[in-house]
Amino acid sequence: MVEVNLKNVKKAYGNVEVIHGIDLEIKDNEFCVFVGPSGCGKSTLLRMIAGLEDINAGEIWIGDKDVTDLEPVDRGISMVFQTYALYPHMTVRENIKFGLEVAKVPKDEIDRRVADAAKNLQLDSYLDRKPGQLSGGQRQRVAIGRSIVRKPDVFLFDEPLSNLDAELRVHMRIEIARLHNRLDSTMIYVTHDQVEAMTLADKIVVLQAGRIEQVGSPLHLYDDPDNQFVAGFIGSPSMNFLPGKVTSVSGSSVSVAFEGGVDELTVELSQNPPAVGDTVAVGIRPEHFTINGTGTKLSVRSDVTEQMGGVGYMHAYTDKETHVVAEIRGRITDLDKDNVVLTFDPKQSFIFNQTGARLR
Amino acid sequence: MAQQSRRGSQRQKAGFWFVLPAFLFYVAFFAYPFLSTVYLSMTEWNGIGDPKFTGLTNYVRLVQDGAMWSALTNNVIWVVLGTAAPIFVGLIISVMLWTGVKGAGVFRTIYFLPMVLSPVVIGVIWNWIYNPLFGLLNTGLRNVGLGKWAIGWLGETETALYAVLLTAIWTYMGFCIVVLYAGLQKVDTELVDAARIDGANPWQRFKNVIVPQIRPVLTMVIVYTVIGGFNVFDVVWVMTGGGPNNASEVIATYTYEVAFQNSENGYGATLSVVMSFVALGAAYLAMKFRRAGEA
Ligand SMILES: Nc1ncnc2c1ncn2[C@@H]1O[C@H](COP(=O)(O)OP(=O)(O)OP(=O)(O)O)[C@@H](O)[C@H]1O
Ligand SMILES: [Mg+2]
């Protein structure tokens, strides 16, 4: 049983705090993904768990051990880096077994584990090459090989696929998913790629500016975001936000006049209804729009439509030039580009207050 | 085709003109003096009148010259200690600077200082440090109750060579630190992180990850100190003049005495020709040795 527990961990560089007290529980066997914009502290948090960065406050537990003050090697972790970080002067074989040799594992055991990893990762024929003679995908597999031979309890990945081209990325993503199924171990994975996060994760941790915005399963975050940041961050293309004003509140029924709206939007907000006159944002996912359907109407001017075959993405603007993306299924013909009416079901819209908190 | 090859040969001609100035420079300032030294080495010449050709006589004399051998031994000591010590200490200090000691910039300047001082100035400073009566070193020794160790460092035959060598090591070390530190800037810190994850201790990280990354720079530094060790002249000349009783004599100071004080220009030329080849050979071996270590 290897859970990872962060208890109010903080990190500062000099007197600039970059991680502001994070609490997080990662379960045994879980595939946990950290996402967030560049500079939000994903790598820093991962390196704190790895033991590569000291922490300024809080505790880190791996399994039933407080590892806060332990060296990386004593934490039962391994890590795969974005730049692969293979030792350039060593062969693939030497790279993979370096950690085992340092740990004085018996030689026949080392050979067995290296052979095993090489077979699983299709590296047999490259074992005597230097990293410089390998492709990006092969290098990444060597880096993964180096981390699995040590049989860690927890695998850490820092954007392992971001240096690969699109096709290889898909391929390696599936390999990593397979690896997780096969090894049954806890994995923590940093990425800023939506698709990697959605497809790999059991649990996504959305970070912003050194704080956790929300934790949950991919679909939970998608269906039920706590705030405007998460709503905008999860989902691709991202959610549309239209500025609006509350016009009337009666009980839990709230009416909002919003930019581009042909008529007002009326929604049920029972938990934390706003007051009349409050500024809000109306969030609608691109796939929840239809053209000339039923529901609340939004009037826009269509600009460019990207046709992907099965679906198309219409880029449009309201009269106040707010950008709106609508996913269109099927082919659209004879569209009057200057007068497009997009419709959506009010129940599928989200309302956020001025601080970005979700109103339900 | 014909056109292309004509263009090609035109280009070669143009290249010739570009290379010419450098070539002339090389001939005038290196090849010609070197070849005339080789010629002089096979003559007897007191600097006045015409050199008298004597074939290999000077070379035979050199092999039998005990003073030459003892000077050469001093050069070898110089090369070994003057390479090993500054590189060993320089590596440690530059890695410490690199891993982020505060105020690294100030330290870099301090360590580089010996490099910008002229050898004569350095010699004078250290002469003062070694002064038997009021020098810094002996004053310090007396203050900590080790007065019986306070000797005339440059005046004793047992210590003169090492005292001068220490001065030279101090200058080489500044150079080593700066060059190695520059080389370290290119080392990927993620590699060091990876080695920590792999469980390598600081020494293993240093030996297995950092040093292999700065091999080319190390080779350069070693070649520099090896050649410098065979050619050293100024610091010895300023501090001891090769004395006392030839105890700190090196080939260059010996050559100077032979050629310019005894006016045996022919034999002096022989000494410098042989030394050039010794230094070249040693530098070549050092490079080869490093390459073998890399493979
Ligand atoms: N060594 C350091 N010294 C000072 N500040 C640092 C250091 N390392 C990171 N930071 C700061 O900490 C914050 C978090 O950095 P971090 O590398 O964790 O971001 P990230 O989420 O991994 O971003 P990216 O997606 O670009 O990799 C950033 O604001 C960064 O500027
Ligand atoms: Mg990062």
Side-chain angles (χ1 to χ4, degrees):
Chain A
M1 290 300 283
V2 189
E3 302 95 16
V4 177
N5 265 304
L6 308 186
K7 298 179 183 169
N8 192 30
V9 296
K10 293 183 182 174
K11 171 77 190 173
Y13 289 111
N15 36 25
V16 183
E17 195 172 270
V18 294
I19 300 288
H20 311 280
I22 282 190
D23 289 291
L24 181 65
E25 268 180 47
I26 299 165
K27 295 202 193 69
D28 185 31
N29 256 340
E30 201 162 44
F31 200 116
C32 176
V33 174
F34 294 171
V35 289
S38 190
C40 68
K42 305 181 290 290
S43 299
T44 305
L45 193 57
L46 195 74
R47 292 168 60 83
M48 287 157 77
I49 298 172
L52 293 172
E53 302 279 352
D54 296 334
I55 68 175
N56 296 78
E59 286 175 12
I60 298 175
W61 287 70
I62 295 179
D64 47 15
K65 236 184 350 180
D66 178 356
V67 300
T68 315
D69 298 315
L70 295 187
E71 272 292 300
V73 64
D74 301 319
R75 297 186 176 203
I77 52 107
S78 76
M79 184 158 169
V80 174
F81 296 84
Q82 178 173 358
T83 57
Y84 320 125
L86 299 175
Y87 311 120
H89 53 287
M90 298 185 196
T91 62
V92 168
R93 184 194 312 277
E94 288 162 346
N95 262 282
I96 295 179
K97 70 182 184 186
F98 180 67
L100 299 177
E101 281 179 339
V102 165
K104 303 216 159 62
V105 174
K107 200 176 164 308
D108 47 342
E109 170 76 8
I110 294 182
D111 291 342
R112 214 174 41 72
R113 287 203 213 171
V114 172
D116 238 30
K119 194 159 127 285
N120 274 315
L121 294 160
Q122 296 126 48
L123 287 169
D124 314 81
S125 39
Y126 308 115
L127 280 174
D128 294 312
R129 289 207 201 167
K130 297 257 175 88
Q133 301 164 304
L134 300 179
S135 73
Q138 289 163 344
R139 283 182 214 185
Q140 197 52 281
R141 284 210 292 272
V142 177
I144 292 172
R146 180 172 66 180
S147 76
I148 59 180
V149 289
R150 299 184 47 236
K151 299 194 191 292
D153 300 321
V154 181
F155 284 88
L156 308 176
F157 296 89
D158 191 355
E159 308 210 23
L161 308 185
S162 60
N163 284 351
L164 303 179
D165 64 42
E167 198 180 330
L168 240 136
R169 210 185 267 203
V170 174
H171 182 76
M172 287 301 291
R173 197 170 76 211
I174 296 166
E175 277 197 30
I176 288 178
R178 226 177 257 146
L179 190 73
H180 181 232
N181 291 340
R182 183 161 63 82
L183 295 176
D184 273 343
S185 43
T186 312
M187 294 192 173
I188 307 176
Y189 188 104
V190 165
T191 182
H192 56 241
D193 184 304
Q194 276 279 339
V195 185
E196 279 171 34
M198 295 299 279
T199 54
L200 288 171
D202 297 317
K203 175 193 271 176
I204 294 181
V205 177
V206 183
L207 292 163
Q208 191 199 6
R211 289 199 170 77
I212 292 183
E213 291 286 340
Q214 194 174 356
V215 179
S217 72
L219 291 182
H220 176 75
L221 296 188
Y222 184 83
D223 293 336
D224 197 9
D226 280 347
N227 54 54
Q228 192 170 347
F229 180 79
V230 174
F233 199 81
I234 302 286
S236 168
S238 34
M239 187 184 282
N240 300 294
F241 297 109
L242 295 163
K245 239 183 183 54
V246 176
T247 53
S248 72
V249 179
S250 82
S252 64
S253 180
V254 176
S255 294
V256 176
F258 63 100
E259 192 182 307
V262 175
D263 32 40
E264 290 190 348
L265 166 71
T266 302
V267 286
E268 295 291 316
L269 302 174
S270 52
Q271 287 177 25
N272 40 7
V276 173
D278 279 3
T279 302
V280 292
V282 176
I284 309 136
R285 291 211 180 268
E287 59 272 35
H288 292 155
F289 281 124
T290 47
I291 295 183
N292 291 325
T294 53
T296 308
K297 290 190 176 63
L298 173 68
S299 157
V300 292
R301 162 173 57 80
S302 159
D303 184 19
V304 172
T305 299
E306 299 172 303
Q307 269 301 347
M308 318 292 267
V311 296
Y313 295 105
M314 177 200 282
H315 293 263
Y317 292 90
T318 65
D319 53 352
K320 297 224 179 66
E321 302 301 323
T322 300
H323 181 217
V324 174
V325 178
E327 185 183 307
I328 310 293
R329 306 210 152 252
R331 311 285 153 95
I332 329 153
T333 47
D334 64 321
L335 188 72
D336 175 5
K337 284 187 123 190
D338 289 332
N339 291 299
V340 178
V341 175
L342 296 174
T343 47
F344 62 94
D345 179 354
K347 286 206 193 69
Q348 288 183 315
S349 66
F350 300 86
I351 307 291
F352 304 96
N353 72 11
Q354 242 174 325
T355 64
R358 163 103 178 269
L359 304 178
R360 303 169 198 258
Chain B
M1 269 312 270
Q3 196 144 29
Q4 217 175 25
S5 73
R6 198 159 75 213
R7 262 228 321 263
S9 77
Q10 266 169 7
R11 206 174 285 156
Q12 269 173 7
K13 269 185 211 146
F16 172 77
W17 290 111
F18 279 116
V19 174
L20 188 63
F23 181 71
L24 288 178
F25 194 84
Y26 170 82
V27 168
F29 292 98
F30 182 76
Y32 174 71
F34 183 74
L35 290 176
S36 25
T37 308
V38 171
Y39 170 69
L40 269 186
S41 76
M42 291 184 269
T43 66
E44 201 187 308
W45 186 40
N46 60 5
I48 310 157
D50 286 332
K52 192 173 117 224
F53 188 78
T54 56
L56 293 179
T57 315
N58 284 339
Y59 287 86
V60 174
R61 172 178 168 192
L62 181 137
V63 176
Q64 294 164 346
D65 183 353
M68 191 285 299
W69 285 110
S70 88
L72 184 61
T73 309
N74 285 346
N75 273 106
V76 171
I77 293 172
W78 193 285
V79 165
V80 172
L81 291 180
T83 299
I87 286 181
F88 180 74
V89 180
L91 261 178
I92 291 174
I93 293 182
S94 57
V95 169
M96 271 164 51
L97 288 180
W98 177 62
T99 47
V101 175
K102 287 218 176 73
V106 179
F107 280 107
R108 253 175 297 159
T109 314
I110 291 174
Y111 291 128
F112 199 59
L113 200 62
M115 286 306 296
V116 295
L117 296 177
S118 88
V120 176
V121 173
I122 289 169
V124 170
I125 293 174
W126 280 78
N127 258 332
W128 177 76
I129 293 176
Y130 286 135
N131 184 295
L133 295 177
F134 51 83
L136 198 64
L137 181 57
N138 284 355
T139 313
L141 284 173
R142 284 187 203 102
N143 285 350
V144 296
L146 292 173
K148 64 175 189 308
W149 290 11
I151 56 171
W153 299 95
L154 294 172
E156 303 279 341
T157 46
E158 292 84 44
T159 55
L161 177 72
Y162 298 97
V164 180
L165 182 52
L166 184 69
T167 306
I169 288 174
W170 179 72
T171 48
Y172 292 158
M173 199 157 70
F175 172 77
C176 288
I177 291 169
V178 172
V179 173
L180 293 173
Y181 183 78
L184 283 167
Q185 302 309 306
K186 280 198 304 193
V187 176
D188 183 356
T189 51
E190 272 196 352
L191 285 183
V192 183
D193 288 340
R196 266 183 86 186
I197 300 268
D198 269 340
N201 61 31
W203 168 245
Q204 288 166 326
R205 297 202 287 270
F206 177 74
K207 182 167 76 84
N208 295 315
V209 179
I210 297 173
V211 170
Q213 295 270 306
I214 54 171
R215 273 239 149 90
V217 178
L218 265 180
T219 305
M220 198 204 91
V221 171
I222 290 172
V223 168
Y224 172 88
T225 54
V226 166
I227 293 180
F230 280 116
N231 287 340
V232 58
F233 173 77
D234 32 28
V235 68
V236 178
W237 194 250
V238 170
M239 291 181 74
T240 63
N245 195 17
N246 298 339
S248 62
E249 197 83 271
V250 289
I251 290 287
T253 53
Y254 181 59
T255 306
Y256 186 87
E257 286 156 15
V258 165
F260 301 113
Q261 292 182 337
N262 305 349
S263 294
E264 295 185 87
N265 287 288
Y267 186 51
T270 312
L271 284 167
S272 32
V273 167
V274 170
M275 273 327 280
S276 302
F277 283 109
V278 169
L280 268 179
Y284 175 75
L285 285 180
M287 269 191 317
K288 218 174 142 126
F289 176 70
R290 296 301 308 174
R291 289 230 187 82
E294 257 165 81

